[in-house]
Amino acid sequence: MKLLRVGAKGEERPGMLDAGGLIRDLSGVVGDIAGHTLSDDGLDRLRGLDPVLLPEIPAGTRIGPCVGRVGKFICIGLNYSDHAAETGSKVPREPIVFMKATSAICGPNDPVYIPRGAEKTDWEVELAFVIGKRAKYVAEEEALSHVAGYCVANDVSERHFQVERSGQWTKGKSADHFGPVGPWLVTRDEVADPQNLGLWLDVNGERRQTGSTATMVFGVAFLVSYLSRFMTLEPGDIVATGTPPGVGMGMKPPQFLRAGDVIELGVEGLGRQRQVCMDDPG
């Protein structure tokens, strides 16, 4: 299934993409794509529906973040060896874990806001997974059963804040609209192998990133198990798994986003995003 949330910001209602690509309204069935809806039982209930019998949502309605009530937005840094090389970093021995503020989350086609004082705003296409079942001290062989599904994420980053102003990475990752997710959540039964998905990103029509999740240093199952040793993962938590090479800071000379730039990105089988960059309206 492909599940999504549509409507004005803060007023999104749940939906399902039918076989013909039409969005069907799930608000009469579930309150949101969140909480128990993400469990195996909740998803099985939705699979039992006939989408044709659900109301159609008009084309052109804004698509919001594909998951609601996100408790944690966790990110993994330098999780592709070739990306680590382009940044001049060593491949990590253990996952580099940092948080992105949940206030950064926005829809897949919402603008990317360039914050005040920014100098080096960058792009990062990533595979993200969403937790569907509480995970604590989970064995790797059982880890994927705790995943509800997968989606596209753009881990937008302000490198000046992240790298040059000391402290943790979080402040360079958490500006408003620095976390586009979606367009939809693809349930795990429709993703045969999360470690065999192509990723791509264009800026102003020029290809910047091309990669495959096959080259991730730490795969999804390992990450679920690893993270669950240090924190309890709850339904609705999002984990962005790192980016392949081709980010702006790795280019020679480096290139960064400016107001008016257009970012397009996608992950194989999970849809695509499009964002226009603009100065943060405050």
Side-chain angles (χ1 to χ4, degrees), residues 120 247-256:
K120 300 178 179 180
V247 299
M249 71 180 296
M251 300 179 70
K252 301 186 186 305
Q255 296 184 26
F256 298 108

Side-chain angles (χ1 to χ4, degrees), residues 60-81:
T61 303
R62 172 186 174 270
I63 298 177
C66 59
V67 183
R69 304 203 304 270
V70 178
K72 294 188 286 295
F73 194 166
I74 306 167
C75 298
I76 308 299
L78 303 177
N79 198 27
Y80 288 72
S81 57

Side-chain angles (χ1 to χ4, degrees), residues 16-281:
M16 170 190 293
L17 202 68
D18 72 14
L22 300 176
I23 303 174
R24 301 290 180 164
D25 192 343
L26 285 173
S27 59
V29 182
V30 294
D32 203 352
I33 307 301
H36 179 73
T37 300
L38 298 168
S39 69
D40 286 349
D41 288 346
L43 295 175
D44 283 345
R45 180 188 179 201
L46 297 183
R47 287 190 190 94
L49 301 173
D50 183 351
V52 175
L53 301 179
L54 298 171
E56 182 181 338
I57 293 176
T61 303
R62 172 186 174 270
I63 298 177
C66 59
V67 183
R69 304 203 304 270
V70 178
K72 294 188 286 295
F73 194 166
I74 306 167
C75 298
I76 308 299
L78 303 177
N79 198 27
Y80 288 72
S81 57
D82 35 11
H83 171 56
E86 75 173 342
T87 65
S89 304
K90 294 181 180 180
V91 175
R93 296 175 60 184
E94 292 192 36
I96 295 174
V97 180
F98 62 94
M99 296 295 204
K100 203 173 183 80
T102 56
S103 55
I105 296 172
C106 65
N109 304 314
D110 290 344
V112 161
Y113 291 157
I114 298 177
R116 296 174 185 176
E119 298 178 6
K120 300 178 179 180
T121 304
D122 209 344
W123 56 83
E124 295 189 14
V125 60
E126 306 203 5
L127 167 70
F129 62 85
V130 177
I131 296 297
K133 180 172 67 174
R134 188 174 185 267
K136 184 174 184 178
Y137 302 124
V138 172
E140 188 171 348
E141 57 270 21
E142 300 173 358
L144 293 184
S145 69
H146 292 261
V147 173
Y150 303 88
C151 62
V152 183
N154 187 358
D155 177 19
V156 185
S157 309
E158 171 47 48
R159 305 300 187 188
H160 175 57
F161 297 169
Q162 176 191 358
V163 179
E164 299 170 11
R165 295 191 59 177
S166 73
Q168 300 296 315
W169 287 5
T170 302
K171 65 178 178 288
K173 299 283 190 170
S174 295
D176 291 349
H177 286 219
F178 265 28
V181 291
W184 36 72
L185 175 69
V186 180
T187 52
R188 74 171 188 271
D189 57 301
E190 294 195 4
V191 179
D193 183 1
Q195 303 311 142
N196 188 30
L197 302 174
L199 306 89
W200 61 273
L201 182 145
D202 295 345
V203 178
N204 297 329
E206 296 185 8
R207 186 57 46 96
R208 292 289 186 251
Q209 291 185 272
T210 304
S212 169
T213 58
T215 65
M216 285 168 57
V217 179
F218 305 106
V220 172
F222 179 87
L223 290 172
V224 173
S225 176
Y226 181 86
L227 291 169
S228 76
R229 302 175 205 171
F230 303 101
M231 65 191 83
T232 300
L233 302 176
E234 299 285 358
D237 287 349
I238 299 173
V239 181
T241 61
T243 197
V247 299
M249 71 180 296
M251 300 179 70
K252 301 186 186 305
Q255 296 184 26
F256 298 108
L257 297 166
R258 297 290 182 264
D261 287 345
V262 178
I263 315 167
E264 296 176 278
L265 60 147
V267 177
E268 182 182 354
L270 304 184
R272 59 189 294 157
Q273 303 182 353
R274 182 182 187 275
Q275 297 113 26
V276 178
C277 298
M278 62 181 291
D279 293 329
D280 191 336

